[in-house]
Amino acid sequence: MYDYPLYRPPSESNSLIIQATLGCSHNKCSFCNMYRSKKFIIKSLEDIKNDIDYFRQIYGHVERIFLADGDALIIKTEDLKEILTYIKMLFPECSRVTLYGSPKSILLKTHEELKNLKDLGLSMIYMGVESGDDEVLNDINKGVNSEELIKAAKRVKDANILLSVTVIAGIGGREKTKNHAIRTGQIISSMAADYLGVLTLMVEEGTKLHNKILNKEFQLLTDKEILSEIKLLIEHIDANEPVVFRCNHASNYISLKGILPKDKEYLLNQIDYYQDTNKLKQEDERRL
Ligand code: SF4
């Protein structure tokens, strides 16, 4: 049924996944290997509806649906409206439809288009920010700058769609760790995202970033440096509205959860606690 590899955000682990696109429309980030084996395509409306029909036959009750793969928002608005309407008709019990939206795809949609999608059931968009620092964004070939990221976030929020963003600790390497942390904290403050996930850089063989490391053009951060970077990032988040903060992905050295700004001191104290060498070591041993 599925075209693998298949990815979805951790918070969609209990969702029905419908592949409306295959691969990623950008597919050029220097650290990412997720969809390198796939040519990006938008599936035909007929195929997507056939998939929805099929899933309706086999699943009795579906609360949440995630439209995969990497950038389902790039689908033409009229087609997305038809997909959402069809989902509503076949899965009336479904209370949440979400998808990944690249900043470029978001910016291709007008405010009205996003509002229409919201009215037809699109509840949340996941957007990869990775960094708020323009040099880092350029280095990783993200394809957008910080200004465009903020603009995309604002467009989602203005349409009353929930916004979930991810950033990557360590993605600037040792050379750019400070600017990456500070500017990422600042961009999050400007975005008013509802959810923020902090991941830690995991380098995969075959990526451009891996080659840079082999050529000694990029220095990875140690565990302690990663924690210092995350601490600096949190210190620079000055959110007016609540942001659900999660740093509990499998890639992270320690697990942190809270709501900003309310839990800022708590999160910073947690990092201080773990920065004690022994405690970090114990945590490492527990994970092994
Ligand atoms: S990080 Fe996201 S946008 Fe970049 S290539 Fe990977 S899937 Fe595509």
Side-chain angles (χ1 to χ4, degrees):
M1 189 66 214
Y2 289 118
D3 189 310
Y4 292 96
L6 178 66
Y7 299 94
R8 46 103 187 120
S11 49
E12 301 293 336
S13 57
N14 293 320
S15 307
L16 167 62
I17 300 178
I18 297 172
Q19 279 179 303
T21 64
L22 301 181
C24 163
S25 60
H26 179 56
N27 219 10
K28 291 188 194 118
C29 294
S30 67
F31 59 92
C32 175
N33 236 358
M34 282 163 69
Y35 300 110
R36 285 293 150 96
S37 59
K38 281 185 176 180
K39 186 173 165 357
F40 179 74
I41 61 158
I42 297 173
K43 285 167 74 172
S44 70
L45 264 182
E46 190 189 351
D47 284 350
I48 297 168
K49 284 184 176 177
N50 284 342
D51 287 356
I52 297 171
D53 290 339
Y54 170 80
F55 287 125
R56 180 68 290 180
Q57 281 169 25
I58 60 171
Y59 292 115
H61 185 85
V62 172
E63 292 263 339
R64 294 176 170 199
I65 290 178
F66 176 72
L67 296 177
D69 276 341
D71 187 14
L73 193 70
I74 204 166
I75 296 172
K76 276 194 295 186
T77 304
E78 285 313 306
D79 291 352
L80 260 181
K81 281 162 72 177
E82 202 166 326
I83 294 165
L84 290 167
T85 305
Y86 201 65
I87 287 174
K88 228 183 212 324
M89 192 169 80
L90 262 74
F91 290 94
E93 76 277 21
C94 176
S95 59
R96 176 174 128 154
V97 182
T98 58
L99 44 70
Y100 281 127
S102 71
K104 276 191 177 162
S105 299
I106 293 168
L107 291 173
L108 285 172
K109 305 274 186 237
T110 64
H111 171 70
E112 278 311 312
E113 286 176 312
L114 286 174
K115 266 189 71 73
N116 285 340
L117 296 175
K118 160 76 184 170
D119 292 343
L120 290 171
L122 180 62
S123 328
M124 179 155 77
I125 295 177
Y126 293 93
M127 180 174 83
V129 168
E130 332 308 0
S131 177
D133 182 69
D134 282 328
E135 279 190 28
V136 174
L137 289 168
N138 188 49
D139 289 349
I140 64 174
N141 205 14
K142 182 71 190 164
V144 283
N145 59 28
S146 56
E147 202 181 311
E148 290 166 308
L149 283 164
I150 293 171
K151 208 169 152 194
K154 194 167 167 359
R155 198 160 297 173
V156 173
K157 295 293 300 176
D158 284 351
N160 216 11
I161 297 173
L162 293 171
L163 176 66
S164 178
V165 301
T166 45
V167 299
I168 305 180
I171 194 74
R174 190 166 288 149
E175 190 195 334
K176 294 178 183 158
T177 178
K178 193 169 168 205
N179 284 350
H180 168 57
I182 293 172
R183 292 182 184 148
T184 303
Q186 288 168 343
I187 202 174
I188 295 301
S189 313
S190 310
M191 282 181 161
D194 300 280
Y195 298 88
L196 165 64
V198 178
L199 316 176
T200 298
L201 178 65
M202 295 175 79
V203 183
E204 291 192 53
E205 280 190 32
T207 57
K208 285 193 176 149
L209 183 60
H210 186 247
N211 285 339
K212 273 190 163 185
I213 293 167
L214 294 180
N215 294 334
K216 307 212 180 319
E217 293 164 20
F218 184 97
Q219 279 188 300
L220 289 168
L221 271 62
T222 63
D223 313 4
K224 286 188 96 175
E225 287 169 335
I226 287 282
L227 285 191
S228 299
E229 187 178 287
I230 295 173
K231 187 176 175 198
L232 192 59
L233 187 159
I234 295 172
E235 281 168 351
H236 283 83
I237 298 178
D238 191 9
N240 293 326
E241 299 294 323
V243 182
V244 176
F245 177 91
R246 294 285 181 265
C247 179
N248 57 354
H249 182 255
S251 63
N252 296 119
Y253 296 118
I254 61 168
S255 178
L256 295 169
K257 287 196 259 181
I259 296 179
L260 293 169
K262 174 173 79 68
D263 297 326
K264 190 167 182 172
E265 279 312 304
Y266 163 77
L267 291 168
L268 295 175
N269 289 339
Q270 283 285 99
I271 294 176
D272 285 343
Y273 172 84
Y274 281 109
Q275 273 182 320
D276 174 301
T277 314
N278 288 331
K279 293 187 183 93
L280 190 57
K281 192 161 169 279
Q282 283 162 18
E283 187 66 22
D284 275 344
E285 282 164 359
R286 249 207 323 274
R287 274 204 318 274
L288 292 173

